[in-house]
Amino acid sequence: MSILSRNHSDTLIIGGGLAGLFCALKLAPQPVTIITAAPLGDGASSAWAQGGIAAAVAEGDTPEAHARDTIAAGAGLVDEAVALGMVREAPQRIRDLLAYGVPFDKDLEGRLAVDLEAAHSARRIVHVSGDQAGRAIMAALVAAVRNTPSIHILEGHVAEDLISDSARVTGAQVRGPNGTRIAIPARAVVLATGGIGHLYAVTTNPDEARGQGLAIAARAGALIADPEFVQFHPTAIDIGRDPAPLATEAIRGEGATLVNRAGERFMLRIHADAELAPRDIVARGVFAEIAAGRDAFLDAKAIPDFAQRFPGVTASCRGAGIDPQRDLIPVAPAAHYHMGGVATDARGRTSLEGLWAAGEVACTGAHGANRLASNSLLEAVVFAGRIAEDIAGLAAQPRRGGIVHVPEGREVFPLHVPRAVKDAPVRPLDPRQEDALRDLMSAHVGVIRDADGLKHALAEITRIEHDNACTPQMRNMATAALLVTAAALRRTESRGGHFRADFPNSDPAQAKRRFMKLAEAHAIAASVVPAKRAVA
Ligand SMILES: Cc1cc2nc3c(=O)[nH]c(=O)nc-3n(C[C@H](O)[C@H](O)[C@H](O)COP(=O)(O)OP(=O)(O)OC[C@H]3O[C@@H](n4cnc5c(N)ncnc54)[C@H](O)[C@@H]3O)c2cc1C
């Protein structure tokens, strides 16, 4: 194990998606190290975003209206003050992105062009070249980061654990590209590792979105909020690819309909807003058609200039021999976004001193039980910006704030790492174990859940988590899956992205956010898992 120079790690940002890069840029010229599992710009959901960023910038729209839509989508669990604060900051953060060089689409008068997406009451999605928002935003930010001398980048490095002493998080333990393990000490650690989609067999997320940040924070003792709330995107393009390409919501916003094999517009009988109903309702509608053997398709044939307006979707379809202007696009629900995550306050601070969290890995309370479309990129920039401000402010008053001083020359940091993990040899994930976990999550902790399935999943996940032969990354996947599953069993109602077939209605008594530490998830698992399986 080697220790990096302290100069590289005053602030350590784990993750190089929008949240991580924006935070690093906002901290400049303070020294920052970004570690990222994939080359910068790759392996991040941010680069795949098709719709854009929600911001009340159009004439007649207001942050209050945006907040109302956010709160309505969140099914009773949105922290209203957090949501309102977030949407009020949206125009300023869009200006920041413009300043970093993001080429948002404009109208003829030079104003930001805005699209409509499901469950928004106004056109407020700021976008780039139709469906290229994520790619363009990330290209601009990657270029800005590479041009910022205070930002040190370690690509191909995977955080496997946090390092902490009795008082605070003091760095991270990281696996380098050649398998070596390094400890990176830091005065402040920002988790920006993205979501958990890859825990599921069908997902729109990149491979790197496998819940590692959630797991390592939970293992270090951080409070986790609402982990049961996973959003399934109703219209992943069902052409057998992993990850599944996405047919953005904006296509339905532009008038595309959902039909089954018989040509019936099935959403009309499910919800008054039909295809523009909240995502969870559309996802269950699509799921039900597929489960009934009727299949589900997006009919976008009537949208003019489809290829120009949605080039990414067109390319995915054409790759599978589908022409969206002539053919129906086969779709299926896919794990897409995690509303739950590491609990943070309005400054992005977690429950652990020295640890902040931003972007999809965090749970600020802004999304509640169901995220409003295009609010996640917004949340990433708003809270990453606030974290940078918080850390910069604390650095100016180091002794009173929350930032630890790493003594010069100190070479050894206490590691809170289980022995089996610490001594584990370097090897890739076992694909069979990984596939088994992903199939299990899709089958039992997916669009529709019930107690029997969740208990079965907990037993299997516990077995993987206790398997001495599994790699640290596989163990982290199992830990993240355990948190989602245990919380899903604990919530005996249906709300937002969490649907229980055995408790199909919302229960007003459970209309509150719920928090969990890893020990509670283990206790729930132990209460339903026969003892011999728990220790197998
Ligand atoms: C296909 C698709 C379309 C979407 N469209 C939209 C949209 O239009 N609008 C919207 O608002 N949201 C959209 N979303 C959601 C949004 O893209 C994400 O929620 C957001 O980009 C998350 O940003 P992030 O920075 O938190 O994570 P990411 O962008 O996923 O970045 C995470 C980073 O962490 C790294 N990482 C992960 N684990 C580790 C580890 N252990 N060690 C080191 N590095 C690690 C990854 O390599 C990556 O660099 C979409 C998501 C997908 C998948």
Side-chain angles (χ1 to χ4, degrees):
M1 178 165 314
S2 64
I3 306 282
L4 284 189
S5 153
R6 180 184 165 240
N7 295 335
H8 284 159
S9 51
D10 280 22
T11 295
L12 175 65
I13 297 178
I14 305 174
L18 180 58
L21 300 190
F22 196 81
C23 187
L25 287 166
K26 285 282 180 186
L27 271 166
Q30 285 200 16
V32 168
T33 296
I34 300 177
I35 64 164
T36 158
L40 210 53
D42 291 347
S45 293
S46 299
W48 295 9
Q50 294 182 351
I53 305 187
V57 292
E59 214 170 298
D61 195 9
T62 61
E64 287 69 27
H66 187 177
R68 271 197 301 279
D69 294 345
T70 302
I71 291 162
L77 296 200
V78 169
D79 182 322
E80 298 190 5
V82 167
L84 188 59
M86 175 180 83
V87 299
R88 281 189 173 145
E89 274 177 54
Q92 182 50 47
R93 298 290 81 89
I94 298 292
R95 280 194 283 278
D96 288 344
L97 291 171
L98 284 164
Y100 289 130
V102 177
F104 287 118
D105 291 344
K106 306 240 173 91
D107 65 17
L108 288 176
E109 279 77 44
R111 292 173 301 216
L112 287 165
V114 281
D115 269 349
L116 181 66
E117 281 189 349
H120 283 276
S121 59
R123 296 181 82 88
R124 63 167 74 98
I125 314 304
V126 182
H127 49 88
V128 184
S129 305
D131 63 4
Q132 300 295 298
R135 206 175 57 82
I137 293 169
M138 286 296 286
L141 264 57
V142 167
V145 161
R146 291 206 190 278
N147 281 329
T148 305
S150 57
I151 302 175
H152 179 73
I153 306 161
L154 291 173
E155 292 161 282
H157 285 68
V158 178
E160 291 182 343
D161 251 306
L162 293 173
I163 303 171
S164 49
D165 59 24
S166 54
R168 58 188 308 116
V169 171
T170 57
Q173 193 172 349
V174 173
R175 180 88 57 189
N178 53 5
T180 53
R181 305 180 87 203
I182 54 175
I184 305 183
R187 303 201 303 163
V189 177
V190 181
L191 265 186
T193 49
I196 63 163
H198 193 79
L199 295 180
Y200 288 86
V202 184
T203 179
T204 60
N205 291 191
D207 286 3
E208 289 75 8
R210 50 182 64 211
Q212 305 281 305
L214 187 70
I216 65 180
R219 193 173 314 113
L223 205 55
I224 306 301
D226 306 325
E228 64 271 38
F229 292 108
V230 180
Q231 184 173 81
F232 293 85
H233 197 290
T235 55
I237 306 175
D238 188 13
I239 46 176
R241 273 174 50 189
D242 178 27
L246 182 69
T248 169
E249 204 110 53
I251 300 175
R252 278 176 281 136
E254 292 303 310
T257 56
L258 282 164
V259 296
N260 59 22
R261 195 167 281 290
E264 182 207 357
R265 242 184 104 184
F266 54 86
M267 283 310 300
L268 286 175
R269 65 174 140 82
I270 295 174
H271 195 277
D273 292 334
E275 286 83 2
L276 295 183
R279 273 192 180 163
D280 59 302
I281 294 173
V282 183
R284 282 197 298 281
V286 171
F287 185 85
E289 290 307 297
I290 295 171
R294 294 189 287 268
D295 294 334
F297 303 87
L298 195 59
D299 184 348
K301 296 194 292 264
I303 298 179
D305 305 323
F306 188 91
Q308 287 77 43
R309 294 167 77 181
F310 302 105
V313 175
T314 302
S316 297
C317 287
R318 286 196 180 142
I322 296 163
D323 176 357
Q325 299 264 240
R326 220 189 41 210
D327 305 318
L328 296 175
I329 304 170
V331 292
H336 185 58
Y337 184 79
H338 195 204
M339 278 75 72
V342 183
T344 68
D345 66 13
R347 292 168 296 189
R349 292 184 184 186
T350 71
S351 62
L352 300 180
E353 284 284 308
L355 183 69
W356 285 255
E360 195 169 333
V361 71
C363 184
T364 63
H367 304 304
N370 205 3
R371 174 192 65 129
L372 184 66
S374 287
N375 263 355
S376 41
L377 294 178
L378 174 62
E379 187 197 42
V381 286
V382 165
F383 286 87
R386 290 185 188 178
I387 289 171
E389 242 173 58
D390 195 31
I391 291 174
L394 291 173
Q397 316 165 349
R399 300 249 169 239
R400 275 181 285 143
I403 294 187
V404 72
H405 274 271
V406 179
E408 297 289 353
R410 183 175 175 182
E411 287 195 348
V412 180
F413 287 80
L415 299 181
H416 290 180
V417 184
R419 258 198 95 64
V421 175
K422 189 175 173 192
D423 296 330
V426 180
R427 61 188 178 281
L429 291 176
D430 175 347
R432 277 171 314 171
Q433 204 168 37
E434 189 187 354
D435 288 351
L437 179 67
R438 296 180 69 196
D439 287 343
L440 189 72
M441 292 296 286
S442 279
H444 301 296
V445 199
V447 179
I448 296 181
R449 305 158 172 183
D450 64 24
D452 286 349
L454 291 168
K455 287 178 184 172
H456 170 72
L458 276 177
E460 290 302 306
I461 294 166
T462 302
R463 196 180 51 70
I464 296 170
E465 223 202 358
H466 287 82
D467 179 352
N468 280 330
C470 89
T471 63
Q473 286 185 51
M474 189 67 231
R475 191 184 312 279
N476 281 337
M477 284 181 75
T479 299
L482 178 83
L483 288 159
V484 176
T485 310
L489 186 62
R490 186 178 66 171
R491 189 173 282 278
T492 49
E493 63 156 356
S494 291
R495 181 180 298 279
H498 170 69
F499 186 84
R500 290 275 303 254
D502 46 353
F503 296 98
N505 299 314
S506 294
D507 171 7
Q510 296 188 55
K512 52 180 184 265
R513 299 180 65 207
R514 294 192 73 179
F515 299 85
M516 173 180 268
K517 285 198 171 183
L518 184 55
E520 188 186 347
H522 280 138
I524 291 172
S527 73
V528 300
V529 176
K532 67 178 172 23
R533 300 192 77 164
V535 295

